[in-house]
Structure formats: C-alpha cells, structure tokens
C-alpha cells in the first residue's frame, strides 16, 4: 500500500512569505515576553530586518533565473508578476513602517496605549518648557512637534502591537496577490484585512473618529468578504474546483449554463473592487482615510491597492481571460463610475486626507483600464502604475502629518494657506507629489498614465481612454487648487505650524520623492523588468 501523497513545498520560492509571517509570529512572542521599556525598539528592528530580508529573497529569486512554479498543492503561484508585486509591497512597507514608528512629530507617537499618562507627561513638558522660556522651534516647529517634547514623553510607550499587525497584514498581502486558487485568496484576504481594521482604530488623537472609521471599515469589509465567498461558492459549483486554471478550462469548454459562471464572477469582483477602492465600491475610503492615523492611511493606501490589483490581474487573466468579451462591457461602466466619482467628489472636499481618498478612487479607475486589457502591455503598465502610485502616496501622507495645529494634524484646506511661506521645502515637496498624481511630465504619474492609456488604446478601448483623459484634466483642478492655496494665499496669523520631521519620517518622505522623480525621468529599468512578465497558468 502506498501512503498519502503530501504536497511539495518549494521553500526557496516561498522564502519572502515565510520570512514575513515567521517574523510576525516572533513579533507576537516579543510583545508577550519583553518588558515595556525598549520593546518598541526591538519590534521596529525585527520588522525592518524581516522586510529587508524578504526583499533580498525576492531579488535573489527574480535574478536567479529560477522557473515559475506553483507550490503548496497548487495554492500559490510564484511567477514573474508575483515577484514584482512582492518586491513592490516590501519596498513600500519600508517607508510605511518608518512613518508608523516615528515619535518625533507627535510626543509618544500616534499610537499610545495610555493616553492619560501621555497627557500628564505632555503637561509636565509644557511646564518645563515654559520655565526654560521656549516651547516652539523657530518658524517650523509645531505644537507637540519638538524633539524636547518627544524626549519628555519617552517613558510613555506607544502601541508596540502595531508591528505584528503590520507584519501579518503584509504577509496576507503577499499571499493574496500570489494565490492560485480562490480559497487561498479568501483566507489571505481575511489575514490582510483584520489587522488593518484594528490599526485604523488605534489613533491617540481624535479617538472617536478613528474608532468610527475602524467600525465602518470592518462592517463594509465583512460585507465584501461575504460577496467574495458567495462568488467563490458559485464558481466552485460551476467548475467543480476553486483553482483559477480549472475555472478557465471550464469556462472555455463547458456546456453548463453560464449563469453560475458570471454570477460568481460578479460577486467575486465586488469583493476585489472593494479592497481596491474602485467606485462605486469605495464608500469606506474617504471616512477611513480621514479617521485612521495618517501613517496607517499611508500603509493602507499604498500596499492594499497593490495587493488588491495584483489579485484582480491574476483573476482576470488566469481564470477569465477566455471570457473577456463577456465581462469587459460591465467593467467599462465600473471604470467610468470610479473615475468620474473620484474626480467630481474630490472637487468638493475641504479636507486634504479626504481629497487624497477620492483621488485614489479616480486612480483605481485608471488602473482598471490596464487590468481590463488582459494583454502583456496592460499587465506591465498596471504593475508599473502600482509601484509609482504607492511611493507617491506614502510620501504625500508623510508630508500631511507634518502640518499641525493645537489639536494635532491640520488637514483642513484653509490650514494650508500660505504654507509656501511658512515652510518652502514642505510646500515644494507637496507640489511635486501633487503634480505626479495629476500626471504632469517628468514625474512617475505621467509615465504610469501614459503606459496604461497606451495599453488600453492598443486593446481597443479608445472611448474609455478619452473619458480617462477628460477625468484626468478635471482631477488636476483639485491638485492645482491646493498648490495655489499654498503659494498665493496669505497665511493666517494663528495658523498651524510645520513640525520638524524626525529621521524616520525624513527618510520615508525623501525615498518617496526620489522614486517619484526617478520613475518619471528614467523609468526604463522598472518598465523593462515589468515587460514580458506573465502569469503561470
């Protein structure tokens, strides 16, 4: 008698995922065993080392010439797009974690386990600063932004559990965009979502708004997961399998009625589009972006979009590539709605974070053009767009966290009036990143939009590209509105100040700005890597 056949595991191919999830488990143990003082430093070190090690594992795998493989009984596909998406996620995780770890802008950091103890420490520091005759740092130090205030509250530790939560979310994202069957994809969706729900509610300031955003995200996320799971069940009933390649074979040669196939696809896509903030499934986005801690918003806006569109690309190409003409028409409407809603409602916003949220909805519509193409050019353009948009967004939210008033971050547009005079460097960086989001030449945004629109044109989506160009012009207005406000409006006498960023925030912002510039001026290396990639199966 022969024993059961055990699934083979390619540990070399899975090394990035194993490193991140293994580090997440170790991080949980550190949280339980280490004393409170010094725990944050150990957790941060472990998180960054794990991310860098996983990134190096991706680079080694991508440059070794190893063939694409499916492993874990076909649950995960480690192919060219998977490695590109993994590298993008890990690269974006570095500045995101640095923003999460910074404690120089806000005393004690944005995540504090004991707000009462922090308030007492801040009060003592203000009294001490008043005795010394100073509490502000020239024209650029904000209330609560000085290094002295941060040192005065060193005894008040922040939420160090954010580090295992980030690692688990990142591990879920890595699995999500490489999953080769729908059941694995659903499990990964839950693994990446649950930590994000918790992170959104951990803000120290504006706690009610933060907790409200977490509850909204959780409830709407539960609905989207239910849609995904119901669609999975219908597709299993149609193809008798949850593997993407088996669904493709069934769709191409089955005589069964198509109601199960397209009903399952519709429900599945709803769950995926929710995660990607594609309109009209975007209703959680502005509230969560505004209410969550800004560093969490940066991580979520960049990395979650990469993971979601990675899964969308794989599902569209591998499972439903043979039926593209049946479902593309519906997604044309979805893409138009996403672009128009993001641009039009973005014009009405008076909060910077909500404005960026609606901008992300419009960009999701642009990304959908490349995903719908289901061609090598569409795949490479979408992958490049995700990388470019991610770094721009992380840097922009890092800059948003610097503009502060008495109650914390000053995100109302009126607070940004005259920022070009108060802090020329910050205003210049914000301007450059806003121009990148608008798609102005010599920025990564222009190159990314040009690549996606070219792929869509080549695949016969000319009307959709025309709509996208018009929407891009409309969306440029609210980017330029903020730029005009910063440079051509008088600053209020009692307006907010700009905090001096600590080394972590400085590195995160600088990295985002430099990558945005390089991908706009010399994008050849990244586009060359993305060209020619194809999904396994």
């Amino acid at each position: 008698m022969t024993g059961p056949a055990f699934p083979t595991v390619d540990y070399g191919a899975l090394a990035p995922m194993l490193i991140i999830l293994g580090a997440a488990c170790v991080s949980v143990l550190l949280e339980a065993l280490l004393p409170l003082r010094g725990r944050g430093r150990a957790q941060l070190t472990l998180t960054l080392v794990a991310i860098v090690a996983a990134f190096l594992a991706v680079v080694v795998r991508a440059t070794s010439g190893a063939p694409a493989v499916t492993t874990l009984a076909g649950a995960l596909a480690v192919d060219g797009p998977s490695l590109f998406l993994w590298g993008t996620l890990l690269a974006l995780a570095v500045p995101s974690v640095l923003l999460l770890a910074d404690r120089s802008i806000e005393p004690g950091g944005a995540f504090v386990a004991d707000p009462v103890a922090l308030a007492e420490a801040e009060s003592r520091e203000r009294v001490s600063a008043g005795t010394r005759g100073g509490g502000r740092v020239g024209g650029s130090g904000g209330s609560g932004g000085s290094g002295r205030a941060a040192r005065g509250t060193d005894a008040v530790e922040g939420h160090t559990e954010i580090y295992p939560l980030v690692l688990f979310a990142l591990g879920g994202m890595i699995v999500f965009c490489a999953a080769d069957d729908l059941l694995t994809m659903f499990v990964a969706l839950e693994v990446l979502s649950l930590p994000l729900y918790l992170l959104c509610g951990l803000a120290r300031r504006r706690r009610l708004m933060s907790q409200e955003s977490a509850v909204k995200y959780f409830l709407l996320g539960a609905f989207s997961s239910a849609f995904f799971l119901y669609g999975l069940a219908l597709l299993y009933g149609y193809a008798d399998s949850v593997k993407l390649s088996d669904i493709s074979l069934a769709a191409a040669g089955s005589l069964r009625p198509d109601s199960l196939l397209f009903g399952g696809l519709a429900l599945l896509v709803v769950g995926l589009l929710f995660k990607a903030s594609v309109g009209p499934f975007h209703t959680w986005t502005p509230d969560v972006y505004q209410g969550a801690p800004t560093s969490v918003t940066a991580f979520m806006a960049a990395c979650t979009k990469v993971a979601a569109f990675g899964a969308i690309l794989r599902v569209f190409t591998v499972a439903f590539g043979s039926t593209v003409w049946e479902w593309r028409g519906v997604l044309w409407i979805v893409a138009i709605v996403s672009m128009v809603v993001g641009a039009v409602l973005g014009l009405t916003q008076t909060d910077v974070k909500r404005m960026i949220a609606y901008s992300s909805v419009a960009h999701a519509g642009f990304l959908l053009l490349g995903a719908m193409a289901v061609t090598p050019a569409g795949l490479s353009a979408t992958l490049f767009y995700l990388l470019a948009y991610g770094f721009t967004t992380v840097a922009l939210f890092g800059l948003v966290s610097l503009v502060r008033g008495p109650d914390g971050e000053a995100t109302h547009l009126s607070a940004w009036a005259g920022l070009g005079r108060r802090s020329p460097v910050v205003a210049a960086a914000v301007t450059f990143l806003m121009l990148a989001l608008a798609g102005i030449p010599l920025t990564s945004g222009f190159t990314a939009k040009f690549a996606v629109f070219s792929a869509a044109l080549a695949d016969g989506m000319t009307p959709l590209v025309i709509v996208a160009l018009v929407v891009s012009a409309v969306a440029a207005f609210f980017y330029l509105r903020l730029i005009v406000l910063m440079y051509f409006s008088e600053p209020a006498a009692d307006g907010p100040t700009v905090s001096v960023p600590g080394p972590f925030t400085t590195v995160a912002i600088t990295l985002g700005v430099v990558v945005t510039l390089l991908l706009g001026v010399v994008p050849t290396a990244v586009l060359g890597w993305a060209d020619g990639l194809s999904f396994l199966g």
Side-chain angles (χ1 to χ4, degrees):
M1 294 179 64
T2 59
F6 294 100
T8 58
V9 180
D10 189 333
Y11 290 101
L14 297 179
M17 180 195 74
L18 296 176
I19 290 171
I20 294 298
L21 291 178
C25 295
V26 173
S27 183
V28 171
L29 293 176
L30 294 182
E31 192 66 26
L33 300 176
L34 289 183
L36 183 60
R37 182 175 293 276
R39 188 190 299 165
R41 186 175 294 116
Q43 291 279 35
L44 174 61
T45 302
L46 172 65
T47 302
L48 290 177
V49 168
I51 291 172
V52 172
F55 182 80
L56 292 176
V58 170
V59 173
V60 169
R61 179 76 183 184
T63 56
S64 65
V69 296
T70 57
T71 185
L72 285 177
L76 293 177
V78 183
D79 47 26
S82 293
L83 293 174
F84 190 100
L85 291 165
W86 288 0
T88 300
L89 284 169
L90 294 166
L92 292 172
V94 172
S96 300
V97 169
L98 292 177
L99 290 178
L100 287 162
D102 195 290
R103 298 182 61 191
S104 62
I105 299 174
E106 188 167 353
F111 311 91
V112 179
D114 188 352
V116 176
L118 179 69
E120 293 174 353
E122 287 179 329
S123 178
R124 289 194 300 270
E125 176 59 29
R126 281 194 294 269
V127 171
S128 176
T131 303
R132 292 192 301 267
R136 299 171 74 91
V137 183
S140 58
S143 59
S146 69
R148 292 192 298 273
R151 290 192 297 272
T153 54
D154 276 345
V156 184
E157 290 289 340
H159 272 293
T160 53
E161 62 266 30
I162 62 174
Y163 298 106
L165 289 174
V166 167
L167 286 172
F168 276 117
L170 186 60
M173 293 173 189
I174 288 174
V175 176
F176 190 56
C177 58
D180 202 38
D181 71 63
L182 295 178
L183 196 57
T184 303
M185 193 174 288
F186 175 75
V187 173
L189 175 64
E190 296 306 299
V191 172
L192 77 89
S193 298
L194 292 175
L196 291 177
Y197 301 151
L198 292 173
L199 288 169
C200 288
L202 294 181
R204 177 172 66 82
R205 295 182 183 269
R206 302 176 181 175
R207 294 177 66 86
L208 291 179
M209 181 182 291
S210 175
Q211 292 163 2
E212 179 187 350
S213 73
V215 171
K216 287 180 178 178
Y217 195 16
F218 169 71
L219 291 176
L220 292 175
F223 276 113
S224 72
S225 296
F227 277 109
F228 187 100
L229 193 58
Y230 198 1
L232 184 159
L234 293 180
L235 290 171
Y236 178 76
Y238 177 82
D240 198 27
S241 173
V242 293
K243 287 186 62 65
L244 300 182
S245 55
D246 292 343
I247 295 172
S248 178
L249 290 174
S254 175
L255 297 178
R256 304 168 191 173
D258 290 338
S259 55
L260 283 179
L261 174 67
F262 293 114
L265 172 61
L267 294 172
L268 190 75
V269 167
V270 168
L272 293 172
L273 295 184
F274 172 89
K275 273 298 167 197
S277 301
V278 179
F281 313 103
H282 69 284
T283 50
W284 63 274
T285 309
D287 291 335
V288 175
Y289 274 39
Q290 183 183 19
T294 301
S295 52
V296 173
T297 306
F299 174 67
M300 191 167 48
C303 294
T304 306
K305 197 171 289 290
V306 172
F309 269 100
I312 288 171
L313 286 167
R314 186 174 296 277
V315 168
F316 283 176
T317 305
V318 178
F320 298 99
S322 60
T323 59
V324 61
W325 295 110
E326 282 82 359
W327 51 259
R328 180 184 282 179
V330 176
L331 287 182
W332 272 45
I333 299 173
V334 173
I336 292 172
V337 169
S338 186
M339 291 185 287
V340 171
V341 167
V344 173
L345 294 186
L347 294 173
T348 66
Q349 302 306 308
T350 57
D351 185 274
V352 174
K353 292 173 73 174
R354 292 182 71 89
M355 185 185 75
I356 300 174
Y358 280 108
S359 167
S360 77
V361 176
H363 281 278
F366 301 146
L367 281 161
L368 205 53
L369 268 67
M372 284 190 295
V374 195
T375 61
L379 173 61
S380 62
T382 307
L383 293 176
F384 180 86
Y385 201 126
L386 291 170
L387 177 64
Y389 177 80
F391 274 103
T392 302
T393 303
V394 170
L396 186 56
F397 278 113
L399 290 165
V400 168
S401 69
L402 300 181
V403 183
R404 309 189 68 82
D407 299 323
E409 293 170 357
T411 57
H412 196 277
L413 284 179
S414 60
W416 291 59
L419 189 68
R421 303 181 190 180
R422 290 180 180 273
S423 182
V425 175
V426 170
V430 171
T431 299
F432 177 69
L433 296 173
M434 285 289 176
L435 293 177
L437 291 177
I440 303 302
L442 299 182
T443 66
S444 62
F446 172 79
T447 309
K449 284 185 177 180
F450 182 82
V452 166
F453 293 169
S454 298
L457 280 172
D459 201 46
M461 291 187 279
T462 303
L464 202 55
V465 173
I466 293 173
V467 173
L469 290 172
V470 173
V471 170
S472 295
V474 174
F477 174 80
F478 56 78
Y479 301 129
L480 296 176
R481 178 180 62 178
L482 181 60
I483 295 172
V484 170
L485 191 67
M486 290 191 297
Y487 285 103
F488 299 102
S489 298
E490 290 293 330
D494 57 346
T497 56
V498 179
S499 297
V500 177
F504 290 162
T505 298
T506 301
V507 170
I509 293 172
T510 303
L511 184 62
V513 171
V514 169
V515 172
T516 300
L517 178 62
L518 290 178
L519 292 180
V521 178
V522 283
T524 311
V526 178
L527 282 173
W529 181 19
D531 281 339
L533 298 180
S534 60
F535 288 110
L536 194 63

